[in-house]
Amino acid sequence: MAADETLEITSGIDPTVERPLGVLTRPSGSTGWRSWLFSVDHKRIGIMYGAAALFFLVVGGCEALLIRLQLARPGGAVLTADQYNQVFTMHGVTMIFLVAMPLGAAFANYLVPLQIGARDVAFPRLNAFSFWCFLFGALFINSSWFLGGAADGGWFAYAPNTGVNFSPSHGLDFFAIGLQITGIASLVSAINLIVTVINLRAPGMTWFKMPVFTWMLFVVQVLLLFAIPVFTVALFLLMFDRLFDANFFNVEAGADPLLWEHLFWIFGHPEVYILILPAFGVISEVIPTFSRKPIFGYPFMVFSGIAIGFMGWGVWAHHMFASGIGPISVAAFSVSTMFIAVPTGVKILNWVATMWGGRLRFTTPMLYAVGVVSMFTVGGLSGVTHALAPADTQQTDTYYIVAHFHYVVFGGVIMGLFSGFYFWWPKAFGYMLSERRGKQGFWVMLLGFNLTFGPMHILGLQGMSRRIQTYSAGQGFDLWNMVSTIGSFFIAIAVAMFVINIYLSRKQSVHLPPVGPDPWDARSLEWMTASPTPEHNFDYVPIIEDLDDFWHRKWGEDEDGNIVRIATAEEVAQDGSRTDVHLPSPSYYPIMLSFGLPIIGYGLIFSLWLCVLGGAIVLGAIFGWIMEPADDPEAAHDHDDHGGDDATEAAALEEEVNA
Amino acid sequence: MKRPMRLRLLVAVGGLGLLASACGTERPLNTLDPAGPNAKIIDDLFNPIFFIAVIVFVLVQGVLIVIWRKFGVKGAESSADERPGTYADDVFPEQVHGNFKLEIGWTIVPAVFLAIVSVLTLLALFELEEVEAADDDLRVTVVGNQWWWEFQYHLDGNVETAPDFVTANEMVIPVDVEVPLWIESRDVIHSFWIPRLNGKKDAVPGRSHPWVIEASELGRFAGQCTEFCGLSHAYMQMYTEAVTQSDFDAWVAQQLTPQPALTEGDDNVVGQELFVTNCSRCHMIVGVTDTNGDEEVDGWDIYDGDSKFLAEGNLTAGAAPNLTHLMSRETFAGSFFDLYDESGEVNRDQLEAWVRNAPGEKPARNENLQGMPSFAGLSPEDLNAIVDYLETLQ
Amino acid sequence: MSTTEIPERFKGRVAEDDHHYSASGLSHEKLAMWVFLGSECLLFGGLISTYMLYKNKLPAGEIGPNDLFDIPFTSVSSFVLLMSSLTMVLAVSAIARGDVFRNRVWLLTTAMLGAVFIGGQVYEFTTFYNEGAGFTTNLWSSAFFTLTGFHGVHVTIGIIMLMSLFIGSFTGRISQESAEKVEIIGLYWHFVDVVWIVIFTVVYLFPQ
């Protein structure tokens, strides 16, 4: 397989090769829009995931502002009931599936291969497919706004309220099909990253020398692998009910609506950890770096993450304490839920212990990371009060729950990932985001966040139900709703400040010296290569000797046990100058294949002829994908070397499609 | 400085919240103001744990503040506004990699604490499950509908037979008596919740969920459907009124009396006829004849309570609130509107508006047989007559 | 491997040859298939649970399994599918030995046996439909057709992949060096068979 090593090809330049009939020449070039559209580079895909997720963050944020405007005062008339139901449903769907999950995927894609010293993921083309599949699925769901109205059943979509009788618009069809498409994206991505982490760790990087971030992302992929199919089954049944008159949630035929609740939450609870663990991973990198200490209790950090991953499967029915599952089930799930607080608590305490005794630099990423420790604790503590099943019958479906999970997903996930943005921005783009503006943004966000969601604790305990379009004066909800609405605009300002910071920092960066490979004196491998990361990641794949290997290359101990510098980052880091690394070539087929899926989706909803068209695109793309020259010079190298065997995956995908 | 300020703010917010929880009259749905033994059990479980959670919260934030003040390196980042760079010096703190005993400790201590909390939780849970009422004591079947509640009273406790009488949106119970409930639904999932009396229980179509309700003080206790149930979810409210046993007996006696059918010569007989023509398809009034003129509209067996929709998609009597003794209630249309104003006069404008164009008052998809249809086609005189008639349903 | 000399400062701390590295020893493709099949377990798990739940909730008087199932017939077609696992093993071992011809024969046989099974399923579905149990008829029928149909789609995809290998063996894409391709698709095929054993037991053999 290593026969043609003398070919001097930089990535992407395609030599003339014999190719089977009907198969396009692989696209080439590393600049311009084509280089993004057809890229199979995990870093570009990661950046595209991030950009798409930020776009949807703005969309979902606008939906949130509409909700808050509507609820600012009793009897609000900003939105009708119908519009309100669509907006709050799509706010949830967007924030969870189109913001938090792809942001996790963005960080996973960009950083996991770098942190384990790999050149790319195991299946670069499948990786591109995952992204486009996600993006087209996301656009597909959002296109429902213009095609008769969006889903109006809540993100949890409890049957039978999601039946055609009760939700006659096509919104829920878009929901069911669109989330199956994004589900394919997540599943494929999960398989890809699991194989990447298992197979492509650099020599010497044993499991327990992997950074905590990579560990957490690995756990996330395993959770996705098992959670997504359960959700797919649920959506599948819903789709069959809505489009083909099946009886899965038809109560008059004897169906049990709790089936949906169980399927949904068996997926839905692991999903919570799918959202939060990437953020835990991020701050587990940020806190040690800015404390100048190693992470406190690495094994505990890893095992608590794994424990959360396992226990996350045994607590789903705590979302159903009021649903009538019977006292024995309630008791069992109440106790299991109680104990999932333990590994989470261990993490919080270990982060605190990492900071304790350190030399802390409160840079923007560090501020956000400390913000997570502080704010997630609030969400964790209110979570314990939900685990008291009898008390939960008072709290569930009130704003107390809304407060709880926003402290978890905003205070935890969003702030954690913002920490990651500030931390890894120089690595990805070669310039730093302004610290001054970053810190200002942090304080505005922290203020806005607490103003928005803090009062919801009070509202919930005072009995304000979730998902209500309006409330009357005289229920005692007026004041805190107004405060909350005002707070939400501070969050909007904070997000705007982040976007402005990107723009201005980029503009100003030309006058600043280059950031160098390691602007923060960081610890993990991604800082050992140039910034921005060269396309081939590493000139030479490092041999790993320690946890935090890069840091140990920079710093050592003298005979008194004091830390002394062995080398500067520039001396240790690779400069990315190597030009003879063979990389997988870009490909047309991932984007083409994923483009076919939403067309099939439109076909299912509107006209079966579109299904034929979409199916033809999908089949053509799979054919091209499989036939893409297996003896492509690039394919003889690196990870694409069994080109034809992508057929297996392609076929597996096809099966998802057919399903 | 910002951090302590924020903390003070949070403490202030929390304090205000607790303060607010004390004044129950202004907060009809307050979960922290129990008025019955079940809500009390829940409150007694929640309060200490919530208090401990607040302490843990303060401790964690306190430790973070200490870390901030004590371990923050001043100026390490200040010199480089746009370019923070690395530490200015090569000074390192002690490189602690962990402390096994400490970590085992903070794994086990919370686990033990949570084990204790679990025991308390289970005790409360099973205490709530206990039903003390005898088999032949009053039972009420609570049926969720889009977007109102029906209460079927079984005075003999036998829920298998037809109820003794049916009312809507306002459930009256005797004080200090535990009333077992069966929670059901006719369309989508709703959730029955009177926060000051007990937690909530979902009303799931096709299932019957046991629940109990008991008030230890007299009064009207507000409730709200808390499971998202479609367009008018926000407009689906209810009340439970706890009265003395003698008042309850009097109320039951009134509810058991059929509404007298008006005969020729009565002022409101036109209104009654219009009601039978336009409304009796869905609304029952015990004692009044239906459109055919030969059958009473109280025929419980017409409507077996299973489904709002007949096979051909038509509605049937009982698909909407039972209006027998309507004016004995204080609210209508999912308890969202008051039947009387503050001076005790009938809230006639609201009632007329409702009869004329219900979907304009409370969102509903009429084409899907949801909610009350618009009667915009009625002449003002007819409308007047119907509302006049409704007012006679004392 | 590399054409450029490793700079002095990296000597000994970077890999001399970073190509074709697999920490687990399994190829990416084979590992991916195992991981994918893990996910599939949950997919079928969800559908089988749905069927189990609804099988017992069928209202009295509705047409159901007792009126329709022809156990001997389905047993035979199940046996055919199981036999195809055997021929799949033979196909894998043939290509591992480099015996392209026998590989071809066994691949085709496996695909044919799979097709017989699918034919049996089509016959069964048609019969059930004619006896009055369509997809939308009742709770049980929706669950039954979804579960078994979903499995049938899996078998069909398997057949398509086997036929692709069969055709590929004539164009020289399948050879001893690429025996792993056959093995990976074999993994999928065995999985689908094993799932059928579970479905057959749960759906046809468990007392109704």
Side-chain angles (χ1 to χ4, degrees):
Chain A
M1 294 293 244
D4 38 11
E5 65 213 33
T6 50
L7 275 170
E8 291 264 330
I9 316 155
T10 49
S11 54
I13 295 176
D14 192 30
T16 315
V17 284
E18 293 258 345
R19 54 196 169 85
L21 189 70
V23 176
L24 303 161
T25 315
R26 296 192 96 156
S28 60
S30 55
T31 53
W33 59 272
R34 285 164 196 269
S35 69
W36 290 88
L37 242 47
F38 309 122
S39 175
V40 296
D41 176 2
H42 72 98
K43 296 175 293 297
R44 290 193 170 206
I45 290 167
I47 290 169
M48 288 193 288
Y49 260 119
L54 280 179
F55 168 75
F56 286 112
L57 177 70
V58 173
V59 173
C62 292
E63 286 156 0
L65 292 179
L66 283 173
I67 293 174
R68 283 317 321 165
L69 280 175
Q70 165 70 16
L71 293 177
R73 280 186 291 181
V78 177
L79 299 170
T80 65
D82 191 22
Q83 288 164 341
Y84 182 83
N85 291 348
Q86 294 176 37
V87 167
F88 88 71
T89 300
M90 289 301 285
H91 168 70
V93 170
T94 304
M95 288 304 193
I96 289 164
F97 294 102
L98 313 184
V99 177
M101 282 176 79
L103 277 181
F107 282 93
N109 263 295
Y110 198 97
L111 291 167
V112 166
L114 282 168
Q115 287 204 331
I116 60 173
R119 288 256 158 77
D120 206 319
V121 293
F123 303 102
R125 286 187 295 176
L126 277 184
N127 202 26
F129 168 74
S130 292
F131 168 72
W132 292 109
C133 196
F134 148 72
L135 184 66
F136 291 141
L139 294 173
F140 175 80
I141 296 173
N142 273 284
S143 71
S144 61
W145 285 114
F146 312 103
L147 294 167
D152 57 1
W155 89 284
F156 61 107
Y158 273 10
N161 192 37
T162 47
V164 271
N165 265 347
F166 301 106
S167 179
S169 83
H170 280 306
L172 274 158
D173 301 325
F174 280 96
F175 169 91
I177 296 167
L179 289 182
Q180 286 184 54
I181 296 176
T182 61
I184 294 172
S186 298
L187 183 64
V188 171
S189 177
I191 295 173
N192 205 344
L193 285 167
I194 288 172
V195 174
T196 304
V197 172
I198 293 178
N199 264 0
L200 288 175
R201 279 170 289 129
M205 180 172 273
T206 57
W207 286 97
F208 288 95
K209 287 177 187 162
M210 267 174 21
V212 177
F213 175 84
T214 297
W215 256 115
M216 293 305 108
L217 265 299
F218 182 71
V219 174
V220 166
Q221 306 313 317
V222 175
L223 288 176
L224 279 169
L225 182 77
F226 294 121
I228 291 289
V230 181
F231 190 40
T232 305
V233 167
L235 292 170
F236 198 65
L237 302 183
L238 174 65
M239 182 179 83
F240 271 21
D241 258 20
R242 287 186 60 90
L243 297 177
F244 308 123
D245 292 329
N247 295 306
F248 294 107
F249 306 114
N250 179 357
V251 177
E252 283 171 54
D256 188 346
L258 287 195
L259 171 67
W260 171 273
E261 291 190 29
H262 280 294
L263 288 174
F264 183 80
W265 289 117
I266 289 172
F267 151 78
H269 201 80
E271 170 74 12
V272 174
Y273 298 106
I274 289 166
L275 299 181
I276 191 66
L277 287 178
F280 282 2
V282 167
I283 69 169
S284 298
E285 300 299 312
V286 169
I287 289 178
T289 299
F290 296 106
S291 302
R292 235 178 184 182
K293 277 178 69 192
I295 187 92
F296 188 90
Y298 172 85
F300 272 77
M301 283 312 247
V302 171
F303 280 115
S304 60
I306 298 173
I308 289 172
F310 271 105
M311 294 171 78
W313 290 93
V315 298
W316 80 85
H318 68 213
H319 297 267
M320 300 164 61
F321 281 157
S323 70
I325 51 175
I328 303 298
S329 307
V330 169
F333 281 100
S334 175
V335 172
S336 66
T337 303
M338 213 71 87
F339 286 102
I340 204 166
V342 174
T344 320
V346 167
K347 280 192 174 299
I348 302 259
L349 290 168
N350 275 21
W351 288 320
V352 170
T354 305
M355 288 187 275
W356 191 268
R359 297 189 75 225
L360 273 59
R361 276 177 300 161
F362 286 98
T363 56
T364 311
M366 185 62 167
L367 283 178
Y368 275 106
V370 177
V372 171
V373 177
S374 165
M375 292 296 105
F376 184 83
T377 302
V378 179
L381 289 170
S382 58
V384 172
T385 64
H386 304 321
L388 313 167
D392 187 63
T393 62
Q394 288 282 23
Q395 299 155 4
T396 188
D397 283 320
T398 69
Y399 265 81
Y400 190 72
I401 296 281
V402 180
H404 159 72
F405 70 73
H406 278 98
Y407 270 83
V408 172
V409 292
F410 196 107
V413 180
I414 296 295
M415 287 177 78
L417 296 178
F418 265 69
S419 170
F421 276 133
Y422 279 95
F423 188 54
W424 279 296
W425 201 271
K427 179 50 65 187
F429 300 104
Y431 64 92
M432 315 253 323
L433 293 173
S434 157
E435 280 288 298
R436 186 170 47 82
R437 284 188 294 265
K439 287 179 189 173
Q440 289 164 349
F442 167 76
W443 290 110
V444 174
M445 183 178 282
L446 190 70
L447 174 76
F449 164 66
N450 281 297
L451 271 182
T452 309
F453 300 111
M456 289 185 186
H457 289 108
I458 302 168
L459 285 170
L461 291 176
Q462 285 176 2
M464 180 164 167
S465 281
R466 284 174 82 174
R467 305 174 182 126
I468 52 172
Q469 174 233 353
T470 186
Y471 52 93
S472 333
Q475 292 181 301
F477 301 153
D478 307 17
L479 170 67
W480 293 118
N481 270 307
M482 183 51 93
V483 172
S484 179
T485 300
I486 293 168
S488 65
F489 281 85
F490 280 95
I491 298 179
I493 292 169
V495 173
M497 287 168 80
F498 175 68
V499 176
I500 292 168
N501 195 2
I502 295 174
Y503 173 75
L504 291 179
S505 299
R506 184 185 167 84
K507 218 166 107 179
Q508 288 161 359
S509 68
V510 292
H511 309 298
L512 294 169
V515 288
D518 178 30
W520 307 111
D521 190 14
R523 312 181 71 89
S524 45
L525 277 186
E526 71 272 25
W527 304 102
M528 215 172 91
T529 187
S531 306
T533 317
E535 196 170 358
H536 55 280
N537 292 359
F538 297 99
D539 292 339
Y540 309 95
V541 171
I543 294 172
I544 307 302
E545 287 158 15
D546 290 296
L547 174 66
D548 293 338
D549 198 71
F550 173 56
W551 189 86
H552 286 287
R553 292 180 189 220
K554 292 185 294 187
W555 303 96
E557 284 186 10
D558 64 10
E559 50 280 16
D560 301 330
N562 296 320
I563 308 285
V564 290
R565 187 178 279 285
I566 304 171
T568 64
E570 280 72 15
E571 285 164 349
V572 179
Q574 306 175 354
D575 54 14
S577 59
R578 198 173 163 193
T579 55
D580 61 343
V581 180
H582 304 304
L583 290 170
S585 298
S587 172
Y588 293 117
Y589 300 110
I591 188 169
M592 185 171 158
L593 175 53
S594 31
F595 185 67
L597 299 180
I599 296 184
I600 295 178
Y602 287 118
L604 285 171
I605 295 172
F606 295 112
S607 155
L608 288 178
W609 287 109
L610 279 174
C611 283
V612 176
L613 175 65
I617 294 174
V618 166
L619 287 177
I622 291 175
F623 178 75
W625 187 313
I626 295 170
M627 291 300 169
E628 205 156 43
D631 53 351
D632 200 27
E634 287 87 353
H637 294 269
D638 268 84
H639 322 303
D640 214 0
D641 45 0
H642 306 289
D645 278 358
D646 271 0
T648 320
E649 273 70 42
L653 289 168
E654 178 195 20
E655 154 193 339
E656 290 282 292
V657 173
N658 292 345
Chain B
M1 284 316 286
K2 280 170 181 165
R3 182 158 290 266
M5 258 171 60
R6 187 169 53 77
L7 190 73
R8 274 206 292 277
L9 184 76
L10 279 175
V11 171
V13 165
L16 273 173
L18 290 175
L19 199 72
S21 69
C23 19
T25 46
E26 304 246 331
R27 283 150 179 63
L29 295 166
N30 198 342
T31 63
L32 303 176
D33 184 20
N38 299 298
K40 186 83 172 67
I41 292 169
I42 294 172
D43 200 49
D44 288 346
L45 175 68
F46 176 73
N47 279 337
I49 309 295
F50 186 75
F51 184 67
I52 293 169
V54 170
I55 292 175
V56 175
F57 166 75
V58 172
L59 279 179
V60 172
Q61 308 300 330
V63 168
L64 287 177
I65 292 167
V66 171
I67 287 174
W68 170 290
R69 311 290 294 185
K70 194 168 170 199
F71 301 115
V73 180
K74 301 256 168 4
E77 81 276 30
S78 65
S79 62
D81 185 29
E82 299 300 322
R83 178 79 171 79
T86 52
Y87 286 89
D89 53 40
D90 281 357
V91 181
F92 276 79
E94 194 192 339
Q95 299 291 292
V96 185
H97 287 269
N99 181 330
F100 189 75
K101 281 184 189 160
L102 196 62
E103 290 171 85
I104 285 288
W106 66 46
T107 309
I108 289 177
V109 170
V112 170
F113 169 72
L114 288 168
I116 297 169
V117 175
S118 300
V119 172
L120 296 176
T121 303
L122 296 189
L123 290 177
L125 181 66
F126 289 106
E127 195 179 346
L128 285 167
E129 285 294 325
E130 279 170 24
V131 176
E132 285 148 17
D135 284 348
D136 56 353
D137 285 348
L138 168 70
R139 270 173 176 66
V140 180
T141 306
V142 177
V143 187
N145 291 270
Q146 282 184 325
W147 292 281
W148 56 283
W149 292 95
E150 179 170 285
F151 301 107
Q152 304 170 359
Y153 278 72
H154 302 274
L155 300 174
D156 60 356
N158 184 355
V159 293
E160 302 298 319
T161 54
D164 296 292
F165 61 89
V166 175
T167 182
N169 296 325
E170 297 179 23
M171 177 166 66
V172 179
I173 57 170
V175 72
D176 285 328
V177 173
E178 183 192 76
V179 181
L181 308 176
W182 285 103
I183 315 266
E184 299 174 355
S185 167
R186 284 200 190 108
D187 34 46
V188 301
I189 302 180
H190 305 275
S191 197
F192 183 76
W193 187 38
I194 309 290
R196 294 191 61 205
L197 301 184
N198 202 346
K200 58 183 74 72
K201 183 64 96 182
D202 282 3
V204 181
R207 297 171 71 102
S208 238
H209 291 148
W211 202 231
V212 294
I213 204 150
E214 180 177 353
S216 49
E217 53 187 82
L218 299 171
R220 268 171 80 77
F221 304 105
Q224 162 89 41
C225 172
T226 46
E227 189 61 83
F228 177 65
C229 56
L231 269 189
S232 271
H233 169 53
Y235 300 75
M236 184 166 168
Q237 304 178 350
M238 61 284 200
Y239 284 93
T240 294
E241 186 162 7
V243 298
T244 60
Q245 185 68 47
S246 56
D247 284 354
F248 180 72
D249 293 339
W251 179 78
V252 166
Q254 182 203 19
Q255 299 296 315
L256 284 171
T257 319
Q259 207 78 56
L262 307 180
T263 47
E264 286 302 329
D266 193 291
D267 289 347
N268 287 308
V269 75
V270 180
Q272 178 181 290
E273 276 165 16
L274 283 165
F275 178 88
V276 169
T277 321
N278 290 294
C279 317
S280 68
R281 189 82 180 277
C282 303
H283 290 285
M284 288 199 268
I285 294 176
V286 178
V288 178
T289 53
D290 79 351
T291 36
N292 300 328
D294 54 14
E295 199 179 343
E296 283 199 331
V297 195
D298 65 347
W300 181 252
D301 37 324
I302 298 175
Y303 173 48
D304 64 3
D306 276 344
S307 164
K308 177 145 83 181
F309 306 109
L310 291 178
E312 60 274 27
N314 286 328
L315 292 169
T316 180
N322 188 311
L323 296 182
T324 319
H325 303 293
L326 168 69
M327 299 313 281
S328 71
R329 304 171 199 163
E330 292 182 32
T331 55
F332 68 100
S335 284
F336 200 73
F337 303 112
D338 288 330
L339 207 43
Y340 299 94
D341 63 18
E342 276 149 24
S343 60
E345 294 296 309
V346 173
N347 196 350
R348 177 125 189 158
D349 290 346
Q350 186 60 59
L351 202 50
E352 279 179 17
W354 176 254
V355 175
R356 187 188 310 116
N357 184 15
E361 301 295 304
K362 183 171 164 175
R365 282 195 192 90
N366 283 165
E367 66 276 17
N368 269 38
L369 302 180
Q370 289 175 339
M372 179 160 138
S374 164
F375 284 90
L378 281 179
S379 67
E381 298 78 40
D382 288 357
L383 183 71
N384 243 325
I386 289 180
V387 176
D388 281 344
Y389 171 70
L390 290 178
E391 282 193 38
T392 67
L393 300 174
Q394 294 295 337
Chain C
M1 178 72 208
S2 63
T3 51
T4 36
E5 191 70 17
I6 296 174
E8 197 55 43
R9 63 191 174 118
F10 296 140
K11 279 264 170 72
R13 302 205 70 177
V14 296
E16 302 274 327
D17 173 5
D18 53 65
H19 294 276
H20 310 298
Y21 179 75
S22 159
S24 71
L26 283 175
S27 77
H28 301 335
E29 289 75 15
K30 198 193 247 177
L31 186 58
M33 182 50 90
W34 278 111
V35 173
F36 170 70
L37 294 181
S39 177
E40 288 277 281
C41 289
L42 272 281
L43 200 72
F44 279 104
L47 287 167
I48 290 172
S49 312
T50 304
Y51 181 85
M52 297 273 275
L53 175 70
Y54 280 168
K55 168 173 96 164
N56 299 320
K57 288 178 90 54
L58 185 66
E62 293 270 0
I63 190 162
N66 293 333
D67 314 312
L68 298 167
F69 281 168
D70 181 358
I71 303 290
F73 175 83
T74 317
S75 301
V76 170
S77 73
S78 303
F79 181 74
V80 168
L81 189 65
L82 286 188
M83 282 304 102
S84 75
S85 259
L86 178 65
T87 56
M88 189 71 228
V89 171
L90 293 172
V92 172
S93 79
I95 195 67
R97 291 192 313 271
D99 188 341
V100 175
F101 174 74
R102 284 208 168 73
N103 174 51
R104 254 176 229 160
V105 170
W106 291 123
L107 281 176
L108 190 64
T109 315
T110 310
M112 286 303 132
L113 290 173
V116 169
F117 173 82
I118 291 295
Q121 199 169 38
V122 170
Y123 169 79
E124 191 181 39
F125 281 13
T126 321
T127 313
F128 289 2
Y129 181 79
N130 290 336
E131 289 180 30
F135 181 64
T136 61
T137 305
N138 60 35
L139 209 54
W140 171 82
S141 72
S142 290
F144 171 81
F145 285 115
T146 303
L147 172 59
T148 52
F150 201 78
H151 180 266
V153 170
H154 273 75
V155 176
T156 309
I157 289 167
I159 295 171
I160 293 170
M161 292 198 289
L162 290 170
M163 290 312 289
S164 307
L165 289 178
F166 179 72
I167 295 164
S169 77
F170 288 97
T171 60
R173 290 174 73 93
I174 305 296
S175 59
Q176 189 164 12
E177 289 75 44
S178 54
E180 202 190 57
K181 289 178 192 173
V182 182
E183 195 185 337
I184 289 169
I185 291 179
L187 280 178
Y188 174 85
W189 190 259
H190 295 315
F191 171 80
V192 171
D193 283 5
V194 171
V195 168
W196 181 254
I197 296 177
V198 178
I199 293 176
F200 182 65
T201 312
V202 168
V203 174
Y204 292 86
L205 298 186
F206 274 17
Q208 308 303 332

